[in-house]
Amino acid sequence: MLSETLWRANEDLGRACLEHPFVRRLGDGTLPAARFAGYIAQDAFFLRVFAKAYALALARSEDAESSAALRELLEGVLQEIEMHRGYAAELGIDLECVEPTPACRAYTDFLMRTAWHGSAAETMAAMTPCMRLYAFLGAVLAREFQPPHPYQRWIETYASPEFEALAQRLEALLNRTATDTPAVRDCYRYAMQCERDFFTDASEATP
């Protein structure tokens, strides 16, 4: 399967994200609350753009099966946005006043550019890494953490069977839509690099 081939080809970046100091401190519960709040603010900004990319892909979809999958995936990210709104209320973050970090802006600009101007295959390749990476991170961190834990809800969300099902749904769409081309590989790789850079900027972001 193409999705498995691409994930294996980018496993170095997946591991780099897992071993990133931000992720390790989130996983062991030592991440300062202010850093988590800054990350949530940035991630909420990102997710709104991610939802737009799904909506653009849905508008450009030409078959019923792809349209159904994209509607389900869009609903999933909208639920994720609601979770972030809950975090924002708890942490006192005004999500309407978030200024994206350079890494967040680079990632969201890439997603929108690809969704507007790229092929359906390139769009799926640009979006799949986020879902697969977070399912991967959630699964690993869930095996490691010990409650009580300040970020237990975050870990359990991305370790959940429901999130894994959404990641697999997007991978199935990638497999149906795309072939193994340099453009598809480049989109997937760049998105993974953006994920790593996002965590680096989140290490310093404040809401």
Side-chain angles (χ1 to χ4, degrees):
M1 288 291 191
L2 178 59
S3 59
E4 296 174 0
T5 297
L6 292 172
W7 175 252
R8 287 196 302 271
N10 292 278
E11 191 172 3
D12 61 323
L13 289 170
R15 289 290 170 185
C17 290
L18 178 62
E19 297 304 325
H20 195 285
F22 178 89
V23 175
R24 298 318 302 171
R25 296 191 73 186
L26 190 157
D28 66 20
T30 61
L31 183 71
R35 291 288 173 255
F36 184 70
Y39 161 79
I40 288 297
Q42 292 299 311
D43 203 39
F45 183 96
F46 169 82
L47 287 172
R48 289 196 293 270
V49 176
F50 203 66
K52 291 178 183 178
Y54 271 139
L56 284 168
L58 177 58
R60 299 178 65 186
S61 177
E62 297 182 354
D63 67 275
E65 186 173 350
S66 294
S67 295
L70 287 164
R71 282 195 298 270
E72 180 183 343
L73 288 161
L74 177 57
E75 179 59 32
V77 79
L78 292 175
Q79 292 175 5
E80 200 175 347
I81 289 170
E82 284 303 309
M83 179 183 75
H84 280 59
R85 286 183 179 139
Y87 281 132
E90 294 170 12
L91 298 168
I93 304 168
D94 184 353
L95 295 180
E96 301 306 315
C97 297
V98 175
E99 182 67 27
T101 65
C104 182
R105 176 62 75 184
Y107 199 176
T108 54
D109 284 354
F110 162 66
L111 286 175
M112 292 307 293
R113 184 169 62 250
T114 305
W116 273 111
H117 304 294
S119 66
E122 290 165 348
T123 301
M124 295 305 100
M127 299 186 73
T128 299
C130 176
M131 300 293 288
R132 174 45 56 206
L133 177 67
Y134 271 67
F136 167 70
L137 296 177
V140 174
L141 296 181
R143 293 195 297 267
E144 297 177 350
F145 90 97
Q146 296 292 327
H149 191 288
Y151 307 120
Q152 181 172 344
R153 183 172 22 146
W154 187 97
I155 293 170
E156 290 179 343
T157 293
Y158 295 111
S160 69
E162 293 80 8
F163 192 83
E164 173 63 27
L166 288 172
Q168 291 182 13
R169 187 77 154 132
L170 183 52
E171 287 176 327
L173 193 53
L174 171 66
N175 293 334
R176 286 185 60 249
T177 304
T179 56
D180 192 352
T181 66
V184 164
R185 281 182 172 263
D186 287 348
C187 284
Y188 197 104
R189 181 81 180 171
Y190 185 71
M192 288 291 290
Q193 291 169 341
C194 286
E195 290 288 350
R196 178 201 58 200
D197 295 345
F198 192 99
F199 287 130
T200 297
D201 276 10
S203 298
E204 301 178 358
T206 54

